[in-house]
Amino acid sequence: GSLILWSSLGCPNVRVGFDVGSGDRPQIPECNLRSTVGLPALAFMGIVSAFATLAWSGGVAAPRAAIAVPVKHMVGRTLGNRNTAAAGATVAPAMCGNLSPTGTAVLVQAVELTLWQVKQLRQWASVRNTSFHLWLAVDVAASSSAAQHAAVKMAPELKSGSVRVVTVNSSQFLGRYPGFAGLHASVTFGRAVGKPPGFMFHSLVVDEWRRLACADGQRYQFTWHLEPDVGFSGASIGALVAAYARSSTADLVCKGCLGASNWQHREVATSAFKAAVPLKHRYYTLEFAARYSDRLLAVMRRWIETGNISQSEMMGCTVARNAGPNVTVDTLDSKHIGNPFKTSKHNCIKKPHQWTAAQARDAKGIGRLYHPVKM
C-alpha cells in the first residue's frame, strides 16, 4: 500500500514489489521524495504506511517476495503473495484455530532412541511436575526399528500419561511444501545423506507436532525442543523449565544467534528462502536445546507453508531476527551449559562414569545441558 502511495505522489519509476519484512523502510533510488512532496507530505505518508502495514500484517510475519529496490534492513511483515503453493504441492493441514496458548511443553524429537535416552525420559517423567508436559515425537520415516518401536519402550510411562508420544512421518513434507523436495534432494552433508527429512529440518517436525498437539486440544505458550542425545545433569528437566519461566519471556531462548555469512550450511535453504532473506540477514544457532514461544512457532508456520524453509539451525534464528522488534531472543545462561555442548563425534560423553562425573560436578546447581551424550 505504501509503495503505491509513493508512486501516486510523483514517483512513477518505482517498480512496485513486495518487501521482505522489519525495521527500516526500503530505500527508493529512482525518485527524490523530499523534493517531490515536501517534509509534511513525507510525515503523512509515514503515518499512513505504518498503519497500513500493521493492519495488513498483524505485526509479526513471514518474508515477502524479493523487492526490486535495495532493502536497508530486514523487516517482518505478512507475505504479500499469500497464494504461493507450488503446483503439485499438497495443502498444509490447518493448525491451532482459536485455542489459547498456555503452559509449557518439553518436546524430545527422535529418529531412534538408545536405552540410555529412554532411561533419561523415564527419569524426567517420574519426577512429579506440573510445570510442563513431556512429549516425544518419533519420526517414523526412518527404517530404524528403534524408531518404529520407541513408543513400546515407553509403555509404562504411556499408561500413566506422563509421556505423550506422537509419530511423525517427515517424508510427507516432501510433497507438502513448495520447493522442499528439491532442497532435501540437494543435501550432500555426510551425516544427512540418506536420512529422513526430519534429520536436518527439525523445524518441520516441530511444526507438525504443534499441529498434532493442537488437534489434541493442547496449545503451549512455550515449547522446549531437545535433540534426543541432549543430556541434562539435574534430577529433572523441569528445573530448567522453571528457571527460564521465571527469568525470560523471550520468543526464542537458545545458545545464541550468530551471523551465518560464513557458516557451512548457509545455502541449505529453498530458493524462496534465499530470495527473501539476503545472506547478511541469515542467522544460526546450535539448536540442540532451545525454547520457542507459540508466537514464534506461528510465524515459522507461515514461512514453512509458503516454502520459505532452511536447515533448522538457521530457521529459528533467522525468523526471529527478521520478524520485527516484537519478537525477542535470549541466550541460554552459561551456567546451564555443560562441556561438551557442540556437534562432535569425538568430544562427547560415551561412558557411564563420564556422565556420573558430570552429575557430581553439577550437583550444587539445577543441572547443565550436554551434547552429545552417546551412551
Side-chain angles (χ1 to χ4, degrees), residues 92 180 214 223 231 263 274 282 294 296 300 302 328 352 364:
F180 181 62
C214 284
T223 298
W263 185 50
K274 289 187 281 190
R282 299 176 201 168
D294 180 76
L296 179 56
M300 292 172 67
R302 295 199 288 274
T328 56
K364 292 183 179 180

Side-chain angles (χ1 to χ4, degrees), residues 171-222:
S171 63
Q172 295 177 348
F173 304 150
L174 298 174
R176 183 181 296 174
Y177 302 119
F180 181 62
L183 169 61
H184 182 251
S186 71
V187 171
T188 57
F189 180 59
R191 292 190 298 115
V193 174
K195 294 292 199 315
F199 183 80
M200 282 195 79
F201 302 95
H202 296 166
S203 53
L204 300 184
V205 176
V206 175
D207 180 71
E208 178 69 358
W209 162 80
R210 179 171 174 262
R211 181 185 73 83
L212 294 170
C214 284
D216 193 42
Q218 299 290 338
R219 183 177 185 179
Y220 296 96
Q221 184 178 8
F222 294 107

Side-chain angles (χ1 to χ4, degrees), residues 35-80:
S35 62
T36 303
V37 296
L39 290 175
L42 277 175
F44 171 76
M45 288 157 51
I47 294 171
V48 172
S49 298
F51 277 105
T53 299
L54 286 171
W56 190 8
S57 70
V60 179
R64 300 186 191 169
I67 192 173
V69 295
V71 177
K72 182 179 177 183
H73 182 70
M74 296 290 289
V75 197
R77 289 194 288 275
T78 308
L79 268 151

Side-chain angles (χ1 to χ4, degrees), residues 285-334:
T285 189
L286 298 175
E287 62 163 356
F288 320 130
R291 192 191 74 176
Y292 299 84
S293 72
D294 180 76
R295 176 168 60 174
L296 179 56
L297 292 179
V299 178
M300 292 172 67
R301 156 108 291 255
R302 295 199 288 274
W303 287 53
I304 290 168
E305 68 184 353
T306 52
N308 290 275
I309 299 168
S310 74
Q311 201 265 10
S312 58
E313 288 177 312
M314 187 163 61
M315 188 77 183
C317 273
T318 296
V319 174
R321 286 298 191 194
N322 291 290
N326 292 328
V327 175
T328 56
V329 178
D330 271 354
T331 302
L332 286 166
D333 194 317
S334 60

Side-chain angles (χ1 to χ4, degrees), residues 57-274:
S57 70
V60 179
R64 300 186 191 169
I67 192 173
V69 295
V71 177
K72 182 179 177 183
H73 182 70
M74 296 290 289
V75 197
R77 289 194 288 275
T78 308
L79 268 151
N81 180 4
R82 298 173 189 271
N83 184 22
T84 56
T90 58
V91 177
M95 293 300 280
C96 295
N98 295 322
L99 280 176
S100 296
T102 183
T104 299
V106 174
L107 173 66
V108 177
Q109 177 188 335
V111 171
E112 59 184 19
L113 288 169
T114 66
L115 292 177
W116 181 85
Q117 290 163 0
V118 172
K119 180 181 178 180
Q120 179 174 245
L121 280 172
R122 286 177 170 167
Q123 177 187 338
W124 292 350
S126 68
V127 178
R128 187 170 181 82
N129 196 316
T130 58
S131 65
F132 70 96
H133 289 163
L134 181 59
W135 288 78
L136 172 65
V138 182
D139 188 352
V140 296
S143 59
S144 166
S145 59
Q148 302 289 351
H149 298 292
V152 175
K153 292 180 180 179
M154 298 296 298
E157 285 66 35
L158 280 174
K159 290 178 181 177
S160 67
S162 54
V163 178
R164 307 174 186 207
V165 179
V166 296
T167 57
V168 174
N169 187 342
S170 64
S171 63
Q172 295 177 348
F173 304 150
L174 298 174
R176 183 181 296 174
Y177 302 119
F180 181 62
L183 169 61
H184 182 251
S186 71
V187 171
T188 57
F189 180 59
R191 292 190 298 115
V193 174
K195 294 292 199 315
F199 183 80
M200 282 195 79
F201 302 95
H202 296 166
S203 53
L204 300 184
V205 176
V206 175
D207 180 71
E208 178 69 358
W209 162 80
R210 179 171 174 262
R211 181 185 73 83
L212 294 170
C214 284
D216 193 42
Q218 299 290 338
R219 183 177 185 179
Y220 296 96
Q221 184 178 8
F222 294 107
T223 298
W224 282 90
H225 174 259
L226 305 177
E227 294 184 356
D229 53 352
V230 166
F232 183 67
S233 60
S236 172
I237 196 70
L240 187 74
V241 170
Y244 286 89
R246 292 190 298 267
S247 66
S248 176
T249 60
D251 295 282
L252 176 62
V253 179
C254 63
K255 184 63 166 62
C257 291
L258 307 174
S261 296
N262 297 312
W263 185 50
Q264 61 177 334
H265 301 309
R266 60 188 177 276
E267 297 296 335
V268 182
T270 58
S271 298
F273 182 99
K274 289 187 281 190

